[in-house]
Amino acid sequence: MTRFVLIALLLLTSCWSSVFAATDDYHLGEGDVLRVGVYDHQDLSLTARIGGDGTILFPLIGQVEIAGLTAAEAGQKISRLLADGYIINPQVSIFIEQFRNRKVVMMGAVTNPGLYELSGPTTLLELISKTGGLNSESGEIATIHRQQQAEGSDELIQVDLKQLLEEGARDLDVLLRDGDNIFIAKADLVYVTGHVNNTDAYAVDDESTVLMMITRAGGFSKLAAKSRIRVVRKVGDEEKIFEKVPMNMPVLPGDVIVVPESIF
């Protein structure tokens, strides 16, 4: 099963839960539109857009800075301010009615790298899908460079794509933030050439064998000499050629698998 299909299946099975679960960790910012309600105080309910200064104007308490908080944290802050001489035990709820457009950059081994605008909570897995999926050169690590809102060094988050895509480790599906830069590293590659259906470079891992690489290359062509496969490997400054290799021979990054033409 291809990685793109795996991405599609994971998205289909979680399309509802991911949106609502993501808002739990979503940090409010300029441009978000909020619907704020106070239980049993309809006159205090309102819809407000967070301004450039990170605040909304709320009845009784005035300007409230909530940028950088989650919806739950913002509700708690407004509750504390209302409880300070205005309402006894206020119960404040906040619903994000419209998400601001956020920009992230996706680079590296994806089908369509570039700048993407996200109109709602978007996870790494969803962004990979938006880019058209991982390409044939992708490795197993995604690195997210995140600028900290407060003072301090930037954060680097590394995600094991194999665990996320193939093992379904959804806790690795990071919720992206405005300004994130995501880089998908290229995998170590093995080159398959000669009489196979798709000559190309293919990603290799610790368990890869000659047979696995030929399978990824679409299998043998009708003219392939299956018993005379060669592996060309660079060792130091020299090239070493392995003749008539077995199909279960492990391959290493940089190897070239050559499938010659049958003489019969």
Side-chain angles (χ1 to χ4, degrees):
M1 184 178 293
T2 65
R3 285 178 175 172
F4 186 77
V5 173
L6 285 167
I7 291 172
L9 288 174
L10 285 170
L11 286 173
L12 284 172
T13 57
S14 62
C15 60
W16 289 107
S17 61
S18 63
V19 172
F20 294 108
T23 59
D24 294 339
D25 298 323
Y26 178 77
H27 291 256
L28 303 172
E30 177 186 357
D32 285 335
V33 177
L34 311 178
R35 187 164 73 241
V36 187
V38 183
Y39 178 71
D40 207 26
H41 291 272
Q42 188 64 35
D43 56 319
L44 297 181
S45 298
L46 58 81
T47 299
R49 183 184 298 273
I50 300 176
D53 58 356
T55 70
I56 61 172
L57 180 63
F58 200 82
L60 301 179
I61 56 179
Q63 299 292 137
V64 184
E65 185 174 353
I66 57 174
L69 303 178
T70 65
E73 290 169 344
Q76 293 167 4
K77 182 173 184 178
I78 294 173
S79 293
R80 289 195 301 270
L81 293 172
L82 288 173
D84 188 16
Y86 298 103
I87 297 175
I88 298 174
N89 192 28
Q91 303 296 314
V92 178
S93 62
I94 293 182
F95 175 77
I96 305 173
E97 194 165 83
Q98 182 179 332
F99 293 90
R100 70 190 186 278
N101 287 335
R102 294 165 295 144
K103 295 180 181 180
V104 298
V105 175
M106 173 67 89
M107 300 174 290
V110 292
T111 302
N112 296 297
L115 177 68
Y116 286 83
E117 288 195 358
L118 312 178
S119 58
T122 303
T123 66
L124 174 61
L125 187 61
E126 292 167 329
L127 179 62
I128 291 173
S129 179
K130 288 178 184 290
T131 67
L134 304 174
N135 66 27
S136 61
E137 296 183 350
S138 66
E140 296 181 356
I141 299 296
T143 301
I144 301 171
H145 178 204
R146 175 168 293 169
Q147 296 180 347
Q148 297 286 14
Q149 294 180 345
E151 293 184 2
S153 59
D154 291 352
E155 183 179 6
L156 287 178
I157 304 169
Q158 288 199 322
V159 177
D160 188 320
L161 293 174
K162 184 175 183 179
Q163 289 186 30
L164 175 59
L165 298 176
E166 298 180 12
E167 301 175 18
R170 297 308 304 277
D171 58 308
L172 299 179
D173 197 12
V174 177
L175 179 66
L176 299 175
R177 297 183 186 176
D178 187 34
D180 279 353
N181 286 272
I182 304 99
F183 180 75
I184 309 294
K186 288 186 177 181
D188 293 322
L189 302 177
V190 161
Y191 299 87
V192 185
T193 187
H195 287 272
V196 291
N197 288 311
N198 297 297
T199 61
D200 206 340
Y202 295 93
V204 61
D205 56 34
D206 294 339
E207 300 177 356
S208 296
T209 64
V210 170
L211 176 60
M212 291 172 63
M213 294 299 102
I214 291 175
T215 301
R216 291 179 187 176
F220 295 109
S221 71
K222 293 180 179 179
L223 298 178
K226 302 178 184 178
S227 62
R228 295 193 292 113
I229 300 170
R230 300 194 304 272
V231 171
V232 181
R233 178 173 298 166
K234 191 168 184 179
V235 180
D237 295 329
E238 298 181 356
E239 282 190 348
K240 186 173 182 180
I241 300 177
F242 299 85
E243 301 279 358
K244 298 181 179 180
V245 299
M247 300 296 284
N248 62 352
M249 175 182 174
V251 291
L252 299 177
D255 281 355
V256 178
I257 300 173
V258 182
V259 181
E261 183 179 356
S262 174
I263 59 176
F264 299 103

